[in-house]
Amino acid sequence: MKTATIQTQLDRLMLQLRWQAGRLGTVGKIGLGLIVVAGIYFFSAVLPQDSDLQKLKERAETLQLQELAKQSPGEMESGKKLSGDQALQVFYDFFPRIDSSPFWIRELVQLAKKHGVDLSSSEYRLMNENDARLARYEMILPVKGRYPQIRAFMAEALDKVPAMAISAIALKRENITSDKLEVRLEINLYLNK
């Protein structure tokens, strides 16, 4: 008797499903199919990736903790929050001392030679304002060379001298067929007083 009741219930359910499916129409059937496919994709592709993502996050945290453990005590203190005055002092300490300007000029000359860039008569001027904590050493460097050489020189100069900024660039080529450029670089080197 139970099997007959269950069979009757299943027949009614199937009849209702067919009737509801008929009401959906073609667009509704496509939408229902897309929902089923999206559910299958979610359970077969997205959920397994979520567990992999959690494992990667845990691995990253472990590596960060290991890196912190390797740091010396002085480095660990730098990770602490600094007061405004301390942060400002750290900022100013980043800049080279004012008496180190010959070293940085020599560094630029060596980089120019390394990249095959010709440096001609350069102009240097120290801008030292009384109320400022930084001095600005203005340099005008007329250089000659091919574009890739000049570009490599400028990139390495900015990398090797982090307290330097290129404030202006003027490019000039004698004629269209020449591969040599004449470049006027205006550079500011910021120095701590």
Side-chain angles (χ1 to χ4, degrees):
M1 175 102 171
K2 282 188 174 183
T3 56
T5 312
I6 293 174
Q7 186 63 36
T8 308
Q9 292 292 332
L10 283 174
D11 289 341
R12 279 188 190 163
L13 184 63
M14 290 304 290
L15 204 65
Q16 283 181 341
L17 284 174
R18 281 191 210 131
W19 181 71
Q20 292 293 344
R23 285 183 55 201
L24 286 175
T26 306
V27 175
K29 290 177 186 174
I30 292 171
L32 184 62
L34 288 174
I35 289 172
V36 170
V37 169
I40 292 170
Y41 179 76
F42 177 77
F43 287 107
S44 65
V46 174
L47 279 182
Q49 293 298 323
D50 188 45
S51 65
D52 290 345
L53 179 64
Q54 291 301 325
K55 289 177 187 173
L56 287 173
K57 284 181 180 178
E58 290 171 6
R59 175 87 173 123
E61 289 174 5
T62 304
L63 290 174
Q64 286 176 345
L65 290 174
Q66 288 174 352
E67 188 64 31
L68 283 174
K70 288 180 185 176
Q71 289 180 347
S72 67
E75 290 174 336
M76 292 179 94
E77 289 175 11
S78 67
K80 293 180 181 177
K81 285 236 179 211
L82 301 174
S83 70
D85 292 336
Q86 290 172 330
L88 193 58
Q89 187 59 44
V90 168
F91 172 75
Y92 285 123
D93 288 343
F94 165 78
F95 294 96
R97 299 284 312 152
I98 196 164
D99 56 355
S100 68
S101 60
F103 170 79
W104 297 112
I105 292 170
R106 190 171 45 250
E107 186 75 21
L108 288 174
V109 170
Q110 288 173 351
L111 288 174
K113 286 180 185 175
K114 175 183 172 185
H115 292 284
V117 174
D118 297 328
L119 275 175
S120 36
S121 61
S122 305
E123 298 175 31
Y124 305 98
R125 180 176 45 208
L126 181 63
M127 305 299 290
N128 195 359
E129 298 174 13
N130 291 335
D131 57 341
R133 294 234 355 227
L134 293 177
R136 186 178 71 221
Y137 203 73
E138 292 181 347
M139 296 179 270
I140 298 175
L141 303 176
V143 297
K144 292 180 184 177
R146 292 183 18 248
Y147 175 75
Q149 294 170 316
I150 294 172
R151 183 174 175 183
F153 162 68
M154 289 173 23
E156 191 168 356
L158 288 171
D159 186 48
K160 297 277 184 181
V161 188
M164 184 184 83
I166 298 175
S167 58
I169 300 174
L171 301 168
K172 182 178 147 186
R173 185 166 43 179
E174 287 187 25
N175 60 40
I176 236 172
T177 59
S178 175
D179 65 342
K180 292 275 187 176
L181 291 174
E182 293 179 23
V183 179
R184 183 176 186 261
L185 293 172
E186 293 181 22
I187 296 174
N188 291 327
L189 177 63
Y190 296 95
L191 302 166
N192 194 354
K193 293 183 189 180

